Amino acid sequence: MATLLSARSRLTVFPLEGLTVAYTTQSSDSRSLGDIAIVGVTDPDTVTGDHLWRLAASMYNNPPTVQTQARWILTQCTRARTVRATSHRDLADAKWTGDLTREVHVDALFANHAILRTGRLTVE
């Protein structure tokens, strides 16, 4: 079930193994903790959020669990936001639209995230 979402927020855009990925956060309540990670590919229409999950799975010798894949994706996003590489863009107030097709509740808080939502993001 896909969820369409539009918002304005800080957005980190970075390359990841041939994909262009955008990462932002949202909060599940009024405390503004950023506990929901929104991660999407921004590449042409032929690439979907499923590519992120296949990429995460390919990083392990044995098939990883969904939880392990989610933690790998979250690690890449927090790494990109922390490391100031010239190939990364940190947009302080970006308008974006997401077609989010997958949601995973991580089994324990990871990188300050309880939920990972993935799909396609279009940056305006």
Side-chain angles (χ1 to χ4, degrees):
M1 179 168 107
T3 300
L4 294 176
L5 184 65
S6 292
R8 240 191 147 86
S9 62
R10 177 182 179 194
L11 196 66
T12 302
V13 181
F14 61 99
L16 182 64
E17 299 290 328
L19 299 175
T20 303
V21 177
Y23 161 67
T24 191
T25 62
Q26 291 195 321
S27 298
S28 59
D29 61 28
S30 62
R31 295 177 294 167
S32 300
L33 298 176
D35 55 320
I36 302 171
I38 308 289
V39 183
V41 294
T42 63
D43 297 298
D45 292 337
T46 57
V47 179
T48 67
D50 289 339
H51 286 78
L52 280 171
W53 293 93
R54 286 196 294 277
L55 178 59
S58 75
M59 296 295 146
Y60 298 89
N61 290 330
N62 296 316
T65 65
V66 169
Q67 292 292 315
T68 299
Q69 288 173 282
R71 287 189 296 272
W72 185 87
I73 292 168
L74 289 169
T75 298
Q76 303 316 305
C77 294
T78 55
R79 174 195 52 79
R81 184 160 279 183
T82 303
V83 175
R84 299 288 180 175
T86 57
S87 59
H88 302 164
R89 292 184 300 148
D90 196 27
L91 309 172
D93 188 32
K95 186 173 182 183
W96 55 270
T97 302
D99 182 6
L100 306 175
T101 55
R102 192 163 186 180
E103 179 174 294
V104 173
H105 292 253
V106 290
D107 51 11
L109 197 63
F110 188 83
N112 198 49
H113 298 302
I115 300 170
L116 170 62
R117 301 177 78 192
T118 61
R120 289 191 45 74
L121 259 64
T122 302
V123 183
E124 295 181 23

